mmCIF file of all heavy atoms in Angstrom:
data_model
loop_
_atom_site.group_PDB
_atom_site.id
_atom_site.type_symbol
_atom_site.label_atom_id
_atom_site.label_comp_id
_atom_site.label_asym_id
_atom_site.label_seq_id
_atom_site.Cartn_x
_atom_site.Cartn_y
_atom_site.Cartn_z
ATOM 1 N N LEU E 160 -55.208 -93.738 32.810
ATOM 2 C CA LEU E 160 -54.494 -94.904 32.286
ATOM 3 C C LEU E 160 -53.015 -94.538 32.197
ATOM 4 O O LEU E 160 -52.568 -93.907 31.254
ATOM 5 C CB LEU E 160 -55.070 -95.272 30.913
ATOM 6 C CG LEU E 160 -54.491 -96.468 30.168
ATOM 7 C CD1 LEU E 160 -54.581 -97.735 31.008
ATOM 8 C CD2 LEU E 160 -55.213 -96.674 28.856
ATOM 9 N N LYS E 161 -52.268 -94.923 33.257
ATOM 10 C CA LYS E 161 -50.838 -94.607 33.295
ATOM 11 C C LYS E 161 -50.020 -95.714 32.650
ATOM 12 O O LYS E 161 -49.011 -95.466 32.022
ATOM 13 C CB LYS E 161 -50.379 -94.416 34.742
ATOM 14 C CG LYS E 161 -50.954 -93.189 35.413
ATOM 15 C CD LYS E 161 -50.470 -93.082 36.837
ATOM 16 C CE LYS E 161 -51.091 -91.882 37.533
ATOM 17 N NZ LYS E 161 -50.749 -91.809 38.946
ATOM 18 N N GLY E 162 -50.425 -96.952 32.857
ATOM 19 C CA GLY E 162 -49.693 -98.091 32.308
ATOM 20 C C GLY E 162 -50.259 -98.535 30.975
ATOM 21 O O GLY E 162 -50.801 -97.751 30.210
ATOM 22 N N LYS E 163 -50.159 -99.836 30.720
ATOM 23 C CA LYS E 163 -50.585 -100.376 29.434
ATOM 24 C C LYS E 163 -52.067 -100.702 29.400
ATOM 25 O O LYS E 163 -52.694 -100.679 28.346
ATOM 26 C CB LYS E 163 -49.764 -101.628 29.106
ATOM 27 C CG LYS E 163 -50.037 -102.176 27.723
ATOM 28 C CD LYS E 163 -48.848 -102.891 27.153
ATOM 29 C CE LYS E 163 -49.122 -103.529 25.825
ATOM 30 N NZ LYS E 163 -49.643 -102.640 24.799
ATOM 31 N N GLU E 164 -52.670 -101.029 30.547
ATOM 32 C CA GLU E 164 -54.087 -101.396 30.519
ATOM 33 C C GLU E 164 -54.787 -101.037 31.820
ATOM 34 O O GLU E 164 -54.155 -100.811 32.848
ATOM 35 C CB GLU E 164 -54.263 -102.887 30.221
ATOM 36 C CG GLU E 164 -53.709 -103.823 31.262
ATOM 37 C CD GLU E 164 -53.890 -105.282 30.853
ATOM 38 O OE1 GLU E 164 -53.569 -105.622 29.704
ATOM 39 O OE2 GLU E 164 -54.345 -106.058 31.701
ATOM 40 N N LYS E 165 -56.100 -100.993 31.733
ATOM 41 C CA LYS E 165 -56.946 -100.669 32.878
ATOM 42 C C LYS E 165 -58.194 -101.539 32.804
ATOM 43 O O LYS E 165 -58.829 -101.622 31.762
ATOM 44 C CB LYS E 165 -57.343 -99.188 32.815
ATOM 45 C CG LYS E 165 -58.211 -98.724 33.951
ATOM 46 C CD LYS E 165 -57.394 -98.403 35.161
ATOM 47 C CE LYS E 165 -58.248 -97.860 36.285
ATOM 48 N NZ LYS E 165 -57.517 -97.768 37.536
ATOM 49 N N VAL E 166 -58.501 -102.197 33.920
ATOM 50 C CA VAL E 166 -59.707 -103.027 33.979
ATOM 51 C C VAL E 166 -60.738 -102.295 34.832
ATOM 52 O O VAL E 166 -60.442 -101.838 35.929
ATOM 53 C CB VAL E 166 -59.414 -104.415 34.578
ATOM 54 C CG1 VAL E 166 -60.697 -105.246 34.678
ATOM 55 C CG2 VAL E 166 -58.378 -105.149 33.743
ATOM 56 N N ILE E 167 -61.939 -102.190 34.305
ATOM 57 C CA ILE E 167 -63.026 -101.509 35.003
ATOM 58 C C ILE E 167 -64.195 -102.481 35.102
ATOM 59 O O ILE E 167 -64.581 -103.102 34.119
ATOM 60 C CB ILE E 167 -63.444 -100.235 34.258
ATOM 61 C CG1 ILE E 167 -62.242 -99.303 34.122
ATOM 62 C CG2 ILE E 167 -64.577 -99.526 34.982
ATOM 63 C CD1 ILE E 167 -62.450 -98.158 33.194
ATOM 64 N N ALA E 168 -64.747 -102.611 36.308
ATOM 65 C CA ALA E 168 -65.844 -103.557 36.541
ATOM 66 C C ALA E 168 -67.135 -102.803 36.821
ATOM 67 O O ALA E 168 -67.138 -101.780 37.498
ATOM 68 C CB ALA E 168 -65.494 -104.468 37.704
ATOM 69 N N PHE E 169 -68.228 -103.338 36.290
ATOM 70 C CA PHE E 169 -69.562 -102.781 36.511
ATOM 71 C C PHE E 169 -70.460 -103.913 36.993
ATOM 72 O O PHE E 169 -70.446 -104.997 36.442
ATOM 73 C CB PHE E 169 -70.139 -102.214 35.212
ATOM 74 C CG PHE E 169 -69.334 -101.090 34.637
ATOM 75 C CD1 PHE E 169 -68.280 -101.351 33.762
ATOM 76 C CD2 PHE E 169 -69.611 -99.780 34.958
ATOM 77 C CE1 PHE E 169 -67.530 -100.321 33.229
ATOM 78 C CE2 PHE E 169 -68.875 -98.741 34.429
ATOM 79 C CZ PHE E 169 -67.833 -99.003 33.561
ATOM 80 N N GLU E 170 -71.236 -103.625 38.016
ATOM 81 C CA GLU E 170 -72.172 -104.622 38.533
ATOM 82 C C GLU E 170 -73.479 -103.916 38.827
ATOM 83 O O GLU E 170 -73.508 -102.929 39.562
ATOM 84 C CB GLU E 170 -71.617 -105.264 39.800
ATOM 85 C CG GLU E 170 -72.452 -106.418 40.294
ATOM 86 C CD GLU E 170 -71.796 -107.152 41.456
ATOM 87 O OE1 GLU E 170 -70.593 -106.915 41.725
ATOM 88 O OE2 GLU E 170 -72.494 -107.951 42.090
ATOM 89 N N SER E 171 -74.555 -104.423 38.238
ATOM 90 C CA SER E 171 -75.848 -103.780 38.401
ATOM 91 C C SER E 171 -76.766 -104.625 39.265
ATOM 92 O O SER E 171 -76.822 -105.839 39.116
ATOM 93 C CB SER E 171 -76.502 -103.560 37.038
ATOM 94 O OG SER E 171 -77.776 -102.985 37.200
ATOM 95 N N SER E 172 -77.489 -103.962 40.168
ATOM 96 C CA SER E 172 -78.469 -104.678 40.981
ATOM 97 C C SER E 172 -79.769 -104.867 40.206
ATOM 98 O O SER E 172 -80.609 -105.675 40.567
ATOM 99 C CB SER E 172 -78.749 -103.918 42.283
ATOM 100 O OG SER E 172 -79.194 -102.615 41.973
ATOM 101 N N ASN E 173 -79.921 -104.089 39.127
ATOM 102 C CA ASN E 173 -81.105 -104.232 38.284
ATOM 103 C C ASN E 173 -80.885 -105.324 37.245
ATOM 104 O O ASN E 173 -79.792 -105.444 36.689
ATOM 105 C CB ASN E 173 -81.409 -102.920 37.544
ATOM 106 C CG ASN E 173 -81.777 -101.803 38.495
ATOM 107 O OD1 ASN E 173 -82.447 -102.031 39.484
ATOM 108 N ND2 ASN E 173 -81.328 -100.603 38.200
ATOM 109 N N GLY E 174 -81.922 -106.097 36.984
ATOM 110 C CA GLY E 174 -81.806 -107.119 35.935
ATOM 111 C C GLY E 174 -81.712 -106.459 34.570
ATOM 112 O O GLY E 174 -82.400 -105.487 34.298
ATOM 113 N N TRP E 175 -80.838 -106.974 33.700
ATOM 114 C CA TRP E 175 -80.685 -106.404 32.371
ATOM 115 C C TRP E 175 -80.393 -107.492 31.353
ATOM 116 O O TRP E 175 -79.895 -108.563 31.693
ATOM 117 C CB TRP E 175 -79.607 -105.322 32.340
ATOM 118 C CG TRP E 175 -78.282 -105.708 32.931
ATOM 119 C CD1 TRP E 175 -77.907 -105.585 34.224
ATOM 120 C CD2 TRP E 175 -77.159 -106.295 32.242
ATOM 121 N NE1 TRP E 175 -76.625 -106.039 34.405
ATOM 122 C CE2 TRP E 175 -76.150 -106.482 33.205
ATOM 123 C CE3 TRP E 175 -76.921 -106.672 30.933
ATOM 124 C CZ2 TRP E 175 -74.905 -107.034 32.877
ATOM 125 C CZ3 TRP E 175 -75.700 -107.220 30.604
ATOM 126 C CH2 TRP E 175 -74.698 -107.387 31.573
ATOM 127 N N ASP E 176 -80.729 -107.203 30.120
ATOM 128 C CA ASP E 176 -80.465 -108.169 29.048
ATOM 129 C C ASP E 176 -79.648 -107.578 27.913
ATOM 130 O O ASP E 176 -79.312 -108.254 26.961
ATOM 131 C CB ASP E 176 -81.772 -108.750 28.502
ATOM 132 C CG ASP E 176 -82.739 -107.693 28.002
ATOM 133 O OD1 ASP E 176 -82.279 -106.602 27.613
ATOM 134 O OD2 ASP E 176 -83.955 -107.940 28.005
ATOM 135 N N ASP E 177 -79.321 -106.294 28.019
ATOM 136 C CA ASP E 177 -78.539 -105.653 26.962
ATOM 137 C C ASP E 177 -77.790 -104.462 27.548
ATOM 138 O O ASP E 177 -78.202 -103.903 28.566
ATOM 139 C CB ASP E 177 -79.462 -105.191 25.836
ATOM 140 C CG ASP E 177 -78.697 -104.875 24.554
ATOM 141 O OD1 ASP E 177 -77.514 -105.263 24.442
ATOM 142 O OD2 ASP E 177 -79.281 -104.239 23.664
ATOM 143 N N THR E 178 -76.686 -104.096 26.912
ATOM 144 C CA THR E 178 -75.895 -102.952 27.361
ATOM 145 C C THR E 178 -75.422 -102.140 26.165
ATOM 146 O O THR E 178 -75.310 -102.651 25.049
ATOM 147 C CB THR E 178 -74.634 -103.380 28.143
ATOM 148 O OG1 THR E 178 -73.840 -104.232 27.304
ATOM 149 C CG2 THR E 178 -74.977 -104.066 29.431
#
Side-chain angles (χ1 to χ4, degrees):
L160 180 57
K161 292 179 182 175
K163 186 151 176 55
E164 64 182 48
K165 180 82 177 170
V166 178
I167 302 169
F169 298 88
E170 187 173 348
S171 178
S172 57
N173 295 322
W175 51 271
D176 56 26
D177 196 14
T178 58

